[in-house]
Amino acid sequence: MGRVDPPDRTQTLEGTLERITFQNDETGYTVARLIPRGKTHEVTIIGALAGLNVGEAVRLRGAWVTHPKHGRQFEVSSYQVELPATIEGIRKYLGSGLVKGIGPANATRIVDYFGLRTLEVIESDASRLQEVPGIGPKRAAGVARAWEEQRQIKEIMLFLQSNGVSATLAVKIYKQYGDQAATVVRTSPYRLAKDVYGIGFKTADKIARQMGMAADAPQRLEAGLLYALGKDSDAGHCYGTRPALLAEASRLLEVEPAACEVALAAIVDAEEAIEIPPVEAFPEGAIYLAPFHFAEQGVANKLNQLLASKRDRLALFQTLDWEAAFGWEATRKPIRLTQEQQDGVKMALTERVSILTGGPGTGKSTIMDSLIDLLAAKGKTVLLAAPTGRAAKRLSETTGKPAKTIHRLLEFRPGQAAQFARDATDPLDADLVIVDEASMIDILLMNHLLKAIEAGTHLLIVGDADQLPSVGAGNVLRDLIDSGVVPLVRLQTIFRQSETSTIVLNAHRINRGELPLFTRESTDFYFFKQPEPEAAADLIVDIVAHRVPDRFGLNPATDIQVLCPIHRGPCGVAALNLKLQQRLNPAAPERAALTHGSRVVRVGDHVMQVRNDYDRQVFNGDMGTVTTIDLEDQIVTVDIDGASIAYEISQLDELVHAFAVSIHKAQGSEFPAVIVPMLTQHYMMLQRNLLYTAITRARQLVVLVGDRRAIAIAVHNNQIVRRNTGLAARLTGRFPTTSRRPRAPYAA
């Protein structure tokens, strides 16, 4: 914001929007260039201009300001939009990507043919577009549909403009509710936070308040409490406590705690939340969002049922001659199982549910190989699964057997009442189910998985309990281990073939609270000292683009992954993605690109999906490469693990650049090389399990860049943030059997 020039205060400016140079999707704040009416030069306009499109004629109200760096700008307080009235304006308007099916080339052809009557023709009889060479019936019909949709979006935009809703979110609101969009926004604004990805409680609350919603309206208070509980689950907690929840809701809503008490009683009575009274295991009580309560309850009940079941599809292994079996296995493999590995095999085949845990290089994959061999020899079946596509692919590569994501194993069906085809009514048909990377499994997914395991089927849960916990709510693997209810084998021996790997040795050193070793003899673990954040960022870019490829022959586009402790700052995810994109995939005439908000997306960009999209079967954390950008149809195509996934422009906020990603997002993935910035400015996130998870993502090479002090902070900080979960208490009988709104126990 600059200084307002007093003589020019509150003026009207009319003209045609020439181009948009910046737009924040969340706030609608826009920097654009405008050609004033009757002039030939451009001026800069700034303000909340959501919904404006290149080529539109606008009437702006505002004031001229002088920015100390950017000079004179027109700061807009309000505006009106008119359709363009000149040939050039119409051409830019249609070619801006506003109307799906019309890109710059088709816009030029259409305007050259119809001239000033172009918009009238599209509005009244779009079939006439077929008169234009190169435009057939299918595209003409598509343009007609897109024009009608855009017209309706424009009407919604006019309604939402005063409430600060961005153009991107207006499109999403329209796609969610169609012609009912304005009605929903007026009558049930908090539905937006539940139904529309990208709209949270704060945005919905802003809309509601500006439309006159009272601060103490029950609808608002209840939505605020559910939002506060949702924030707890986003942080990994299965429940919140009454004092903390009421304090947070009171602060968020700016009302007295007593008002929140009444609203809390209402959502508990409606069974949207479940309240557990204070007991020894929960001295402050517990308030769950209903899905997490019933998921925890379901997991605990089903595990106890499976452990106590008298049915056993692998009963023959109870009397197996194990010495002969392991001797036979030794003739098939170049290595002989150690005693703890043999214990792991025995456990999986004789216990209904069991856990196998251990760090890198301790032989988890070797045990799974032996299990598969012994099961095949006895004519028994096994299913392999992991939480993510990358983890499933890696499991398949290490075992040589097909593996699926848990969602695909359970035959997920988006949009149906019963989300998974495989459940208690149609369980998985297998003698043993092995689930790898179990530290990533949240409580909701674990509940769905256990529903599909019938009594008698064995379940082996494999994972590294010292890694970061799941992104979703819960701490399932850790809770199962801490409960002591599920049989466990913990692998601790590092095998000879791993002893030459400094990555493996340093992973175990870090896990023991010891500093990693940096030796001249190491060929896979390096440290570059650069404590200044900006200089460290430049060094990381050089390492990725030149040093690692030149020395190790790795491809920076496919083999090298930057993993960051934080999102912000010079060495955060956002800044490094921008620098790495500019170096690894710069603008080029042959490389199609588009601007989405303030981001530029190009063919060749490395990207990551950041939400579960069950319709298209792509999930949070899936990575891929942009392969095509169709400006005419406004479609971006991304190759994700060999599948070609299409994104409309309005769906691009589901993708982020992934030249650099957070360590949390890298869980379950493995890369040939990882580069990790470690700086003291990251101190809020520097924890032992974070660094441990980062370096165990690498197969061949780890490079740490930054400050040795930051590494020491991380190694010595083992104060893992506690998650509010009740699973261990439920498994051991320390959880109350009733709540204020009891439900029937889980039925197998």
Side-chain angles (χ1 to χ4, degrees):
M1 180 116 14
R3 174 180 57 82
V4 177
D5 297 345
D8 297 327
R9 187 183 297 273
T10 315
Q11 294 189 2
T12 299
L13 179 65
E14 297 181 355
T16 302
L17 194 67
E18 182 70 11
R19 65 180 182 276
I20 295 174
T21 57
F22 171 80
Q23 188 166 76
N24 184 307
D25 283 339
E26 291 302 313
T27 65
Y29 178 80
T30 303
V31 179
R33 299 287 284 173
L34 180 97
I35 298 180
R37 180 173 297 175
K39 307 291 186 180
T40 57
H41 64 278
E42 297 178 0
V43 299
T44 299
I45 61 173
I46 59 173
L49 304 173
L52 282 185
N53 294 281
V54 171
E56 287 180 319
V58 291
R59 179 183 176 87
L60 311 173
R61 292 280 295 170
W64 288 100
V65 300
T66 301
H67 190 280
K69 180 178 180 181
H70 302 296
R72 206 159 183 254
Q73 303 171 328
F74 191 80
E75 187 172 9
V76 180
S77 57
S78 64
Y79 66 87
Q80 293 177 312
V81 180
E82 302 172 0
L83 290 176
T86 66
I87 293 290
E88 185 59 26
I90 295 171
R91 182 181 290 111
K92 287 181 179 178
Y93 179 70
L94 289 180
S96 66
L98 171 71
V99 182
K100 186 176 180 180
I102 302 181
N106 275 336
T108 297
R109 286 197 290 267
I110 293 170
V111 174
D112 286 348
Y113 189 88
F114 290 111
L116 291 173
R117 298 184 60 243
T118 296
L119 300 183
E120 178 189 336
V121 168
I122 296 175
E123 176 77 32
S124 60
D125 187 7
S127 64
R128 288 195 59 198
L129 292 175
Q130 298 177 59
E131 299 173 18
V132 180
I135 295 183
K138 184 177 180 181
R139 185 170 296 277
V143 169
R145 288 193 300 271
W147 181 264
E148 175 62 17
E149 180 176 298
Q150 184 61 35
R151 184 183 63 78
Q152 295 185 42
I153 291 172
K154 185 71 71 177
E155 292 175 1
I156 295 170
M157 187 68 68
L158 292 173
F159 169 69
L160 296 176
Q161 179 186 328
S162 61
N163 296 301
V165 177
S166 73
T168 299
L169 294 185
V171 172
K172 286 174 175 282
I173 292 169
Y174 174 77
K175 287 184 178 296
Q176 178 71 32
Y177 304 117
D179 295 341
Q180 297 301 307
T183 301
V184 170
V185 173
R186 286 191 186 96
T187 60
S188 304
Y190 295 103
R191 276 185 61 185
L192 302 179
K194 295 180 180 179
D195 297 344
V196 183
Y197 177 72
I199 296 183
F201 171 80
K202 291 183 179 179
T203 300
D205 190 48
K206 181 180 178 181
I207 295 170
R209 297 285 283 144
Q210 291 193 356
M211 290 191 302
M213 179 79 68
D216 60 352
Q219 183 184 7
R220 179 173 185 263
L221 299 181
E222 291 166 23
L225 278 161
L226 292 171
Y227 170 70
L229 276 174
K231 282 179 63 180
D232 281 342
S233 65
D234 290 342
H237 302 296
C238 289
Y239 67 84
T241 61
R242 172 178 273 265
L245 176 62
L246 292 175
E248 172 61 17
S250 176
R251 183 198 63 78
L252 173 75
L253 296 166
E254 298 180 340
V255 297
E256 292 299 318
C260 297
E261 288 265 13
V262 175
L264 177 57
I267 64 173
V268 169
D269 189 59
E271 298 188 1
E272 293 183 279
I274 307 295
E275 183 169 11
I276 307 298
V279 292
E280 182 180 354
F282 299 88
E284 293 184 299
I287 301 174
Y288 286 80
L289 285 173
F292 298 106
H293 170 76
F294 296 120
E296 263 196 4
Q297 187 180 64
V299 168
N301 289 349
K302 187 59 181 286
L303 281 172
N304 282 325
Q305 289 174 15
L306 292 174
L307 288 165
S309 175
K310 294 183 179 180
R311 293 185 59 193
D312 189 352
R313 293 179 61 153
L314 297 178
L316 66 91
F317 286 100
Q318 299 291 341
T319 57
L320 188 71
D321 182 341
W322 289 104
E323 184 176 354
F326 290 129
W328 171 79
E329 178 69 4
T331 65
R332 297 168 52 83
K333 299 289 174 63
I335 59 173
R336 189 176 183 88
L337 298 181
T338 65
Q339 185 59 53
E340 64 181 11
Q341 287 180 316
Q342 291 182 19
D343 291 343
V345 172
K346 289 180 186 178
M347 174 187 67
L349 296 176
T350 59
E351 300 287 355
R352 310 302 194 277
V353 183
S354 57
I355 298 171
L356 181 67
T357 187
T362 54
K364 296 189 294 293
S365 297
T366 301
I367 290 175
M368 287 189 277
D369 283 340
S370 295
L371 286 170
I372 292 168
D373 286 345
L374 291 171
L375 289 167
K378 298 297 183 180
K380 298 297 182 178
T381 57
V382 61
L383 291 174
L384 305 176
T388 67
R390 282 179 169 261
K393 183 178 180 181
R394 185 153 61 97
L395 178 59
S396 182
E397 291 170 350
T398 56
T399 62
K401 299 293 182 181
K404 298 179 179 179
T405 64
I406 296 175
H407 280 84
R408 288 191 172 92
L409 182 73
L410 301 181
E411 298 177 23
F412 184 80
R413 303 177 299 188
Q416 298 193 30
Q419 291 183 318
F420 294 93
R422 295 292 187 169
D423 56 17
T425 63
D426 187 13
L428 297 167
D429 184 12
D431 300 306
L432 172 66
V433 176
I434 299 176
V435 182
D436 197 12
E437 294 286 358
S439 62
M440 299 178 65
I441 302 177
D442 61 43
I443 193 67
L444 297 178
L445 186 56
M446 190 66 176
N447 188 39
H448 287 298
L449 173 64
L450 290 176
K451 286 179 181 180
I453 306 292
E454 67 175 350
T457 292
H458 285 219
L459 173 64
L460 176 62
I461 300 167
V462 183
D464 186 344
D466 295 314
Q467 289 186 19
L468 291 168
S470 59
V471 174
N475 201 354
V476 174
L477 180 59
R478 173 58 61 186
D479 285 350
L480 294 183
I481 293 172
D482 289 347
S483 74
V485 169
V486 181
L488 167 76
V489 166
R490 188 186 300 273
L491 303 174
Q492 297 177 314
T493 303
I494 304 174
F495 289 98
R496 186 172 291 107
Q497 63 265 34
S498 299
E499 290 175 356
T500 57
S501 168
T502 312
I503 296 174
V504 172
L505 291 174
N506 277 338
H508 287 273
R509 286 182 64 86
I510 290 168
N511 213 20
R512 294 192 298 266
E514 301 171 7
L515 292 174
L517 297 175
F518 303 105
T519 65
R520 293 183 180 276
E521 293 75 24
S522 173
T523 58
D524 63 357
F525 204 102
Y526 298 89
F527 171 71
F528 285 81
K529 181 181 178 181
Q530 183 45 265
E532 294 300 323
E534 290 80 5
D538 291 336
L539 177 57
I540 287 169
V541 172
D542 189 54
I543 290 170
V544 173
H546 295 299
R547 299 194 190 194
V548 169
D550 291 348
R551 178 164 181 179
F552 296 95
L554 296 176
N555 185 334
T558 58
D559 299 333
I560 306 171
Q561 184 62 57
V562 177
L563 302 179
C564 302
I566 62 175
H567 282 270
R568 297 181 179 179
C571 274
V573 171
L576 282 173
N577 264 316
L578 186 58
K579 283 179 173 287
L580 288 164
Q581 183 197 36
Q582 290 171 346
R583 178 68 70 89
L584 300 177
N585 196 37
E590 72 279 3
R591 198 173 290 139
L594 61 82
T595 300
H596 180 68
S598 58
R599 290 189 300 147
V600 176
V601 180
R602 295 191 188 103
V603 168
D605 278 351
H606 194 40
V607 293
M608 173 186 281
Q609 176 81 11
V610 293
R611 69 178 287 252
N612 290 334
D613 188 326
Y614 299 110
D615 291 324
R616 289 179 295 176
Q617 292 286 289
V618 288
F619 303 100
N620 188 1
D622 284 351
M623 291 185 180
T625 302
V626 177
T627 54
T628 63
I629 296 177
D630 187 332
L631 296 175
E632 297 282 336
D633 289 332
Q634 300 181 48
I635 297 294
V636 175
T637 305
V638 181
D639 183 290
I640 298 178
D641 292 329
S644 187
I645 310 297
Y647 292 80
E648 296 183 5
I649 301 299
S650 62
Q651 296 170 319
L652 287 183
D653 57 352
E654 296 180 17
L655 291 175
V656 297
H657 282 103
F659 299 101
V661 301
S662 70
I663 296 170
H664 286 81
K665 286 290 188 182
Q667 285 177 269
S669 298
E670 194 175 72
F671 312 95
V674 300
I675 317 297
V676 187
M678 292 294 292
L679 297 159
T680 53
Q681 69 168 191
H682 301 163
Y683 73 95
M684 290 292 291
M685 293 296 295
L686 294 178
Q687 294 178 331
R688 185 183 301 173
N689 62 349
L690 189 84
L691 179 57
Y692 175 77
T693 299
I695 69 172
T696 54
R697 300 308 91 207
R699 288 197 301 267
Q700 300 172 229
L701 178 68
V702 169
V703 180
L704 304 182
V705 179
D707 194 329
R708 288 180 186 268
R709 291 177 300 169
I711 297 172
I713 291 170
V715 170
H716 295 139
N717 180 13
N718 199 31
Q719 296 180 349
I720 299 171
V721 177
R722 177 182 174 272
R723 290 188 168 190
N724 293 338
T725 67
L727 181 57
R730 293 179 195 265
L731 286 167
T732 54
R734 296 181 294 115
F735 197 90
T737 56
T738 61
S739 66
R740 291 190 181 181
R741 304 293 298 184
R743 287 279 184 95
Y746 179 95

